[in-house]
Each structure stands twice: as C-alpha cells, then as structure tokens.
Amino acid sequence: MDSASAIATLDQVQNVSESPADNAQNLADAPTDTPSRESHELPQENIALLHREDPPRPATPPIDTNGAVVKPEQRSVELPTSEWDQQLKSLQTQPHDPDGWNKYVRLAEESDDLEKIKETYEALLRMYPNSAAAQIAYLNHFLIPGYFTFAEDLFKRFLRTSPAVELWRFYLTYVRRINLDPSTRDIVRKAYEYALNHVGQDKDSSDIWIDYIQFLRSGETGSTWEEQQKMDALRKVYHRAVQIPLENVETLWQELEAFENGLNRITAKKFMNDLSPSYMQARTVLRQLQRHLGPLFPPASPSNATRPSFHFPPLPTFNSAERTLVGAWKNYLRWEESNPLEIEDKDKATFISRVQGVYRKAVIRMRFFGEIWYMAYVWTNSIGKSEEAINILKAGIEANPTSFLLNFAYAEVLEVAQKHEEAHAVFEKFLDALRIDLEKIENTISPTGGQDSSDAAPEIPNNSSFATQPDDTKPPRTKELADKRREYGLAWTMYMRFARRAEGLKASRALFARARRDRWNPWEVYESAAIAEYHLTKNADIATRIFEKGLEVHGDEVEFVSHYLGFLLSVNDENNARALFERMISSFSPERARPLWERWARHEYQYGDLAAAQKLEKRMAEAYPGDPPIKRFAQRHTYHSIDAIASRDLGVAMARQSSGSGSSHGSSSSLGRTDTQQSFGSTIITPTGSQQLPISSQKRASSPDHKRRDDSYGPASYKRARPSTPPPRDRWEGANHGRRRYGSPSWEKDKEKDSPVGIRRVKDVEDEKPVSLPSVISWFVGQLPTPGSFDGPVFRTDDLMQVFRNAVIPSVTGRARSPPPPPPRAGGRPPPDYGPYQGPGSGRRRY
C-alpha cells in the first residue's frame, strides 16, 4: 500500500451494529494480504470512524511561513493576555524547557478549549516529535463522538514512525472498541498483525502478543476446517513469540507446550525440539537485554497527579552522568547491531525491523545528542536504505541545528550526490544558527552588544577579495565567546573547503570575501585561507597579503601573530619575518609575548650566527629577568627533543631512572618546553626565600591511623595490641630485606625473630634469588606503572583482610540472624555460614 492511499480520506464505511454504538462505522474489508514488514503506512481497514452527525471540527490554528503557530496577539482579533499566552512567550524565549512545556499543556487542558488544546499539543509535538505520552494525551482529547475523524488523522501521523509500544497498544484498544461485531474480526486481526510487524520485537510488547493470542482463541468456528485454521493461526503466533526476548517468554513457552500437547503429543515433541534452540537463545538475550536497558530507561518517579508530567529530554550539559548515559546507549546499540538473537539471513527483514525500532527509540530518548543520530544514520545507510538515512540526518539537524557532526555529514552527502545548491543551503543555515548562538552569548555579557553587519554588506565581486574592510565593531572578550567564535570559524573554513572542491578556487575566494566582513570570524579563517592559497597556487605573496589583512583585525592576538611568523619562516622569508617580529613584539606584554620570543629564538639558534643569538638572549634576559642564564644556553644546544645538557649535566635522566617515570618518548612538543626548563622548575622559591620540593614530588599524606581490633588469629601467646600503621613507603622492602611485602602478619615476624640466625640468612638468600617469568608476563609487568608513580596512602594487607573476615553480611530477607559464633580457635578461621541461600529476589523489574 502506498503512502498516498494510506493518508487519503477514508470514505468507505459500513454500519456494524444497531446497538447503542449504532453510530459506529467501519471501513469496508480491504484486500486479504497482510501489510509488509517494511511498510510504515497505516492500512485503511485498520481504523473505523465514528463521525455520523459530526459537529464542525475545530479550526486549524493559523501557521506562519516557518510552520510555527501564530500567537494569539498576532492575529487580527486582539485577545486579552492570559497565563497561557504568557507561558507561550516564555517558551519562545526558552524552547528547551521541559517544565515550561508541562505547564503550557496543563494550562491548555484546564481551559477545556479544544482549539487551544490542539494548538498546544501541535506546538509541543513539533518540539518533541514521537513523544508517546504526549501523543496519547492528545488523542484522548479527541476520542469523543464528533471528533473521530480528526483522531484518525492523528493516528495516521503518529503510528507511521512510532516505536512506542504504549501508543500501539492504545491504537489496538481503539480498534477493538469500535469493531465489536463478529463480522469485523478480520479488521482487528489485521490491526494486530500490523502492530506486531512494527513493535513485536520489543520486549515490552508481550501484552500485545498475549492479547492477540486470546483474541484468536476466542474466535468461534463452525466447522472442522475452520477449527483447523484457528489452530494453525495460534501455532504460528506462538512460534513467532517464543523466539523473541519478551518479558513473558517463559510463560509463552509453557503455554505453547500445553497447546501442542493438547493437539498431538507426537507432533508436539517435534515442534518443541525444533524451537528449543531459538527459545533458549531468546531467554539468554532477554537477561542481557534487561542489563542493557536498566540504566537507559529508569522507572518513572511516582506522581499523585491525574496525569503524570511528560518526560522530555533536556539539552545536554555533558556532565559525568550524561556521558555515562551516552556510553550506555552506544554499547546497547552496538550490541543490537551484533545480532545477539542470531537471526538468520533469510529473516533479515526481521533483524532490520528490530534494529530500526531500537534506533527510533534512541533518537527519541537522546534527541539532543548528535552522536546517537549519526550512529542511526551510519547503520541505516549500511543496510542500503540511503533515502531513509538522509531523512535521519535531516531530522537530527532539525533537533540539533548547531550540530557540527550532523551538518558536516549532511553536507558531504549532498556534495557526493553533486547537489551543490542544497549543500550551500545547509552551510548557510548552519552559519545562521551559530550566529544566533553567538549573539545570545554576547547579549548575556553586554545587552547592548553590536549587531552583525554581514547581512547588510553589499555583494562582493569574486576578484575583490582584499577590497573590503571588516567591521570595526569587535565582540567582547570572554573565554566562552572565544571558544564559540573558533567553532564558528571552523564552519566557515569547512564551507570554503567545500566550495573549492565542488566549484573551484574562485568560489572559495568569494566565500572568504564574505567571511572577512563577518565580525564573528576568528583569526583561524584568515590563516586557513592563506595556507590554502599558498598550497594551491604556490604563490606566497597572496598568502602574505591575506595574513596582513588579518593582522589589521586580529593584530592583538598573539596566536595569530605567532602563526604568521611561523609561515614566513617556513617559506624562507626571513626579512619579512624579522620585520614582523620587531614590529609586533612590543605590542604584547612579556607574559603574552613569550611564544613569539620562543619561536624567533629557535630560528636564530638554528640558522643565525652566534652574535645574533647572544644579542637575542640579552634582550630576552631583560624581558624575563627571572629566567636563569643556563636555561637559554641549554635551549641553544638542543635539537628536536634531544636535550643532552638536561639529561647528562643536570641529572634529569638519572632522576627519571631512579623515579621510574621516565621514557624517551614522553617529551613535550610545545614550544620551548624541554627537560632543561623542567629541571629549572624543580624547586619553588617561596616568598620567604625558602625552597620547597616540586609539586610532582609532593605526595599525599598517608591516611590517619584508626582504631583496629586486636589480632584474634594465630597462636594465643601472640594476642596483643597491633602496632600502628607504618608511614607511607614503597611497597617492596629494600634489598637488605629481600622481596617480602610490608604488612605480613605480626606472628610471622615474631617467628622469624625467634628463628636461628643461620636459618634467617638462608631464607633471605632464597628470597633474593631471581624469579624467571614467561616473556609475555614479563612484558605485561613492564607495562604496568612503577611503584613510584603511586602517591596515595599505603594500606596494610592484613588489616584489609581483617576487615573482610570480621564483616557481618546481613540477610536479604531481613529476618533475625542467629548470634555470631564464638571466636575461632587458635590458628583457625571463622566457620562458614551454611544458612539457606536467599537469592536476589524473585520479583521482576520492568524497565
């Protein structure tokens, strides 16, 4: 059935009864073929209408060009401002406010105005599509005589893509309610089949399976052939259900066994043996599924209200809880993709339907996490459904208009498909969304922030990349705004890359000319354009002109100047590089100018003469009087990360070897950060003139001593107060004490003291013998952190074991326990608890 016929007005109805529901009308019987598993259209025969003598339907609220509902105050008739109108204005300012939307719905429902309720729910479902609880509440308002036609339209809209079992269950209740006559049983049967083809793989759909089985059982038969048809239909449904990890799969298996044995014990044994592997796999997968879904769908909090509040996903803050939730969803989605049910290739449609339903749930629950949308797009595209995958990207961008991941992915799809105009539209819309975010941040910092003049700028010819001047109004400086501007510049850079790949260098230059007039653009846009010009045209002059234009706007940003200096040095333009250094070094304070000094110093050390290097060091000494002279000298004699002065003369290598924390591959790649600098930073001079150890060598203090129980183990003669916990030390004793760990039982130490001297010496010699390990174990031990890297408190092993030995584990059932056993005999352990195993509880938890 195509989409057009599914959405068409249903005008084929028939009367089903002359009873109190004699105004109920049904659709005429449809063709006998069952809807395909791949179909997502609602069959016409699955919904009957109750619209005889319908009153006029509520008028559709006016919609503006953007698809938004026109506010009452914007209509021709001015209405008095109500609390509902005020809440609407608040939601227009803060559209991602779950509590605000719940209040908005509550105010509309309290008014008992169907038009207002309709307007409210339509706005809500534009913000949170496929919210099953809201859809059901919306439908409930119009499942009244006179409005069933409108309710049927809502069913068509909602069911097409909904993975919510509760909505499909609500739909089936509606179908059975209006199809009471025995002649309409086939309509109900097809409705059940249609629902199970969509959500039958969901573990919570067990109620639908049971209702369907009961519905088939209740069918009356008038002949042996009809009875056989009924039994075959029941067998088919049972066989499908017991292979799915449903909540009640064990109950269904027992019912199937009783059903088959009641028909024929011989065939029952064959059927049960054939289905047993699939059933056992479903049981195993159900337990794994419950573990996966536990953290994803926590139980709803109890509510005393008539209708609990809707749960809407808030905007992400990416705190630890949300990152954990995203990780749990990703693990679950990958697990479902791995086909844990081991569905065969011949039933590939079932597997695809199952994973599609899972991804639909994921993007509803995690609506504002672009990573989940991208996973859904990648998987859908991998099974050959490219159009559906593109629709997923579109829906994800609608929910997350500022998502770099989704916008870039969609732009690449359009670029590959040679749809350049659509790709341009994606980038333009994306830049507009980012610009709105920047303006909001600016307004929170300074309510009178400048306006973006890029919209009012005239069109720039393609050959006039350097003829226009950027806007003089610069945004305020804050870290949040600076980070957002860098991201905004990245969007422009990717836009220019796309234009160059798709339409050539001329188109990329035209975009850069537009970008220059945008007050929000950071210096990275100038640098990316300059580097691209140099690599594509091999012309350093054009790149230099772009850097110079950028210097007019971003000359107060030392990062941009440093990159410009690095570019000039990389193209061997030493004269202009020296001029740039001398021109800009005085523009920054010594603290900010250090990257420029370091970059120019490296060039002088490598390619300049000794006199120039010494002259530069003198200037740097004046700028940084706190730096010791040896620092610059050692810097002059390094190459890459090889700092022999620090390693050999200053003892950095020896210090690393003794601390066990050094490795040749751990050198820093930042400018001027060498071992010499780290060596000079090894001591800290306090204001009083005293020296302290470096921060890295200051370890945490050990845990305070606590009261501990007396040692109740070992010979009775050694029962005495335990010595206090020793101060933090290395885990292994020194060479003079062998390889014995600290914290051995006190009586063992006393035994050793009482042993003859010769025996103790022989034991020490035996302990000092080298231990040979397999090569794999030796490699693994070598990869472990060294004992010196642990800076926490050192625990005594016997104290920790004492805690576990004396721990009293309460009973699960909470019943009274017998008194604790008497102390164990000398040298023994407490007797084990042979009480009955209570288990984790037999109650099942629904997620």
Side-chain angles (χ1 to χ4, degrees), residues 562 594-603 605-606 620 627 630-632 634-636 638-641 643 646 667-681:
S562 178
R594 186 179 284 274
L596 296 179
W597 285 108
E598 297 283 355
R599 184 66 185 88
W600 185 248
R602 288 209 314 276
H603 177 75
Y605 293 159
Q606 291 185 14
M620 295 182 68
D627 289 353
I630 193 175
K631 174 182 177 180
R632 285 296 145 199
Q635 277 286 304
R636 202 187 325 150
T638 61
Y639 185 71
H640 287 313
S641 60
D643 191 350
S667 59
S668 173
S669 60
S670 59
L671 299 180
R673 300 294 298 172
T674 62
D675 293 337
T676 307
Q677 290 176 294
Q678 296 172 8
S679 176
F680 294 133

Side-chain angles (χ1 to χ4, degrees), residues 576-592:
N576 283 328
R578 187 181 301 275
L580 175 66
F581 173 76
E582 297 296 343
R583 175 168 40 128
M584 302 303 298
I585 195 63
S586 59
S587 302
F588 304 100
S589 63
E591 291 76 13
R592 295 188 61 201

